[in-house]
Amino acid sequence: ATARAANPYFARPLIDVHLAHRFVESRPRFACVRAQGRFVAVQPIASRAGRLGWAEAPGALNSPFTTLSTPLVACDAPDGWADALALAIKRACRSGAFLFPMFPIRSPIGIALRHAFARTGAEVAALAPFERPVLAARPHYDAYADESLARSRRKGLRRMRRRLADRGRLTHEVAEGGSGLHEALDAFFRLEQAGWKGRMGTALAAHAVTHAFARDLFLRASGPVAPRADVLALDGAPIAVSLAIVSAGTAFLLKTTFDEVHRGVGPGVLLEDAIVRAMHRDRFCERLDSATLPGSVLESLYPDRMAIADLAVNLRPGDPLFPARVAAERWQRGARVRVKRAAG
């Protein structure tokens, strides 16, 4: 609740859900820093956080449903917290390599921790860096639109809204708990399963394990991490749903889907625009995090960017295998990108 930078994935309710559904190892460790008898920095650690080259490596706790590995750091953490946390991580791991999946490399916490590792002599390598769309609230929506949306984009949004309104009564509804959240989750699973993800077998509801996990994730979020579902409805029937977790002033937009029957009039984009309007009108958060990989449609709606990379740290200075593993990992990732492009 008092973190310098929001990271809902390391909050107790979300870690509990990951443990209950076995999406992380059963006994994670926690590198912790205390000051005056209380925690001021915490980094959950998994013995296997991902591959680096030809072998698994420990790292920050993560799953297919997490999009950040920033440690939780208290707003009033004293100077030296980063050096203490780097030392705690080093003590917790026997392996030379340590991974931070999807790490904000240019954030204040990211810079402080990278410098702390460098002071220990550790090598640090950023893998597959990209710019994630984020949006800090402007004074009001019109200020955002004037700064961020080209005239053609604004005209396009108005045109899509008119075309959808011609088909029925268009409403934007919000659910944050109770029966409304249950109904929004059901609508999300139903729309996603009916779309291309359902046909590909990658929809959350396509598998009992992911279906139960996702439902639990949003229903059990509480306290400093709060669920939010935004629903765009036509004559009361949901045609687009966005699921988010709001934490420490940031809304993480984890999942979104829309009714492909209305694809031609952009219900998904209109819902994203409605969320931006709601942020400026209701101030339910001060920042939107797209929680996306490269290529998101939100790149054209959010003007701000957050530099993200998988960060590899060599906890054993001078380990000759670390540069070779980093080089192998970069080659493998590049090969996957080339194959994907060649496939169309």
Side-chain angles (χ1 to χ4, degrees):
T2 60
R4 293 186 183 185
N7 188 349
Y9 311 111
F10 292 165
R12 179 64 178 268
L14 270 61
I15 286 184
D16 281 346
V17 172
H18 275 82
L19 288 169
H21 292 270
R22 301 183 180 181
F23 272 87
V24 295
E25 61 190 47
S26 61
R27 296 180 64 85
R29 288 170 292 168
F30 295 83
C32 305
V33 178
R34 289 180 184 266
Q36 298 178 340
R38 64 185 181 87
F39 290 121
V40 295
V42 177
Q43 177 72 67
I45 295 175
S47 60
R48 295 180 180 178
R51 295 190 68 82
L52 182 64
W54 53 83
E56 293 278 349
L61 196 71
N62 77 102
S63 80
F65 296 89
T66 56
T67 64
L68 271 184
S69 60
T70 319
L72 292 178
V73 181
C75 284
D76 59 350
D79 293 341
W81 68 263
D83 293 280
L85 185 60
L87 180 59
I89 291 172
K90 197 169 185 178
R91 287 174 173 171
C93 299
R94 296 187 181 92
S95 170
F98 188 90
L99 293 176
F100 290 93
M102 295 197 192
F103 189 78
I105 54 177
R106 290 205 294 264
S107 69
I109 288 178
I111 292 170
L113 198 53
R114 291 174 71 187
H115 287 172
F117 278 120
R119 284 192 288 272
T120 71
E123 301 170 77
V124 178
L127 304 169
F130 70 98
E131 299 285 325
R132 174 179 289 168
V134 295
L135 175 60
R138 274 41 175 185
H140 46 76
Y141 177 84
D142 288 341
Y144 151 79
D146 290 342
E147 174 190 347
S148 310
L149 301 179
R151 181 177 297 180
S152 59
R153 185 57 152 168
R154 279 178 277 176
K155 287 178 63 177
L157 288 170
R158 287 195 296 269
R159 183 170 59 251
M160 288 187 289
R161 197 174 294 111
R162 284 196 306 270
R163 288 180 177 175
L164 258 179
D166 287 342
R167 302 181 183 187
R169 183 173 61 90
L170 194 62
T171 57
H172 171 218
E173 303 161 5
V174 177
E176 296 174 316
S179 61
L181 182 59
H182 281 268
E183 292 170 4
L185 286 168
D186 288 341
F188 176 90
F189 294 134
R190 184 171 61 252
L191 289 177
E192 190 183 50
Q193 182 64 24
W196 67 269
K197 286 189 177 181
R199 295 189 292 275
M200 295 288 292
T202 58
L204 291 174
H207 306 281
V209 172
T210 53
H211 189 189
F213 169 84
R215 179 178 290 279
D216 215 12
L217 186 75
F218 289 97
L219 293 181
R220 289 179 61 179
S222 60
V225 292
R228 177 184 171 96
D230 288 84
V231 180
L232 191 68
L234 192 64
D235 287 336
I239 59 171
V241 182
S242 172
L243 302 178
I245 295 291
V246 183
S247 176
T250 297
F252 293 81
L253 307 178
L254 300 188
K255 292 289 180 179
T256 187
T257 191
F258 63 89
D259 188 341
E260 294 184 0
V261 170
H262 301 287
R263 176 188 290 275
V265 286
V269 175
L270 286 177
L271 178 57
E272 300 293 353
D273 180 63
I275 293 170
V276 174
R277 290 176 181 272
M279 176 179 70
H280 288 95
R281 181 185 65 246
D282 306 330
R283 295 291 170 171
F284 69 88
C285 69
E286 289 299 319
R287 188 170 180 266
L288 295 172
D289 185 324
S290 66
T292 58
L293 294 172
S296 164
V297 66
L298 293 179
E299 291 175 2
S300 66
L301 293 179
Y302 292 4
D304 308 326
R305 295 291 184 267
M306 177 170 58
I308 296 288
D310 290 349
L311 198 69
V313 181
N314 182 13
L315 300 177
R316 235 182 254 160
D319 180 358
L321 290 179
F322 182 78
R325 291 178 68 182
V326 169
E329 182 64 25
R330 285 176 171 155
W331 186 89
Q332 289 169 11
R333 293 184 184 215
R336 286 195 291 269
V337 170
R338 291 189 292 272
V339 168
K340 187 175 180 179
R341 286 175 180 169

